[in-house]
Each structure stands twice: as structure tokens, then as C-alpha cells.
Amino acid sequence: MQARLREQADAVWTLLQAGAHIYVCGDGSRMEPDVRRTLVDIARAHGEDGEAWMAKMIESQRYVLDVWAGS
């Protein structure tokens, strides 16, 4: 998933700026941290403080998790 996000970073950013929500479903121990890092990197590439941007996404419930602990 994160590879596709990187490939489509500009389109993803455009959607996020328009109010898109991110729903992450899957392995919470491996996949979710990678997805989060990728989105933070995309935000940084577009001039944002990536961690602060992600905190706002979480606070506004635009970054939503449905994950489980992987092995």
C-alpha cells in the first residue's frame, strides 16, 4: 500500500487537501507504521511539518485505523 501512496504522492496530497479521509485496515504492527511514515513524508514534501500534520489528521478523525496486532 505504501508503495502505491508514494507512486501517487501528488494525487494523494491533492485529495487530502480537498478533505479526503484515510482508512487503514490491516496489520497494525507492520503495515500501519509504514503507511503513517509514508503520509508524513508526503506532507513534508509539500512543505508541511509532517508530524504536526499527522497529529491534525488523527485529531480531526481523518486518519482512522482498523488494525490488529500482526505476528
Side-chain angles (χ1 to χ4, degrees), residues 37-67:
R37 272 191 296 276
T38 300
L39 291 169
V40 166
D41 290 347
I42 290 170
R44 283 187 184 134
H46 287 88
E48 295 287 333
D49 174 339
E51 295 298 333
W53 174 85
M54 179 55 75
K56 288 179 196 172
M57 289 289 289
I58 293 167
E59 182 180 320
S60 65
Q61 298 181 348
R62 290 181 53 209
Y63 184 77
V64 180
L65 304 178
D66 181 10
V67 297

Side-chain angles (χ1 to χ4, degrees), residues 2-15 42 46:
Q2 51 278 20
R4 183 70 66 168
L5 286 171
R6 286 191 192 283
E7 288 173 12
Q8 300 294 321
D10 289 336
V12 169
W13 187 251
T14 297
L15 291 169
I42 290 170
H46 287 88

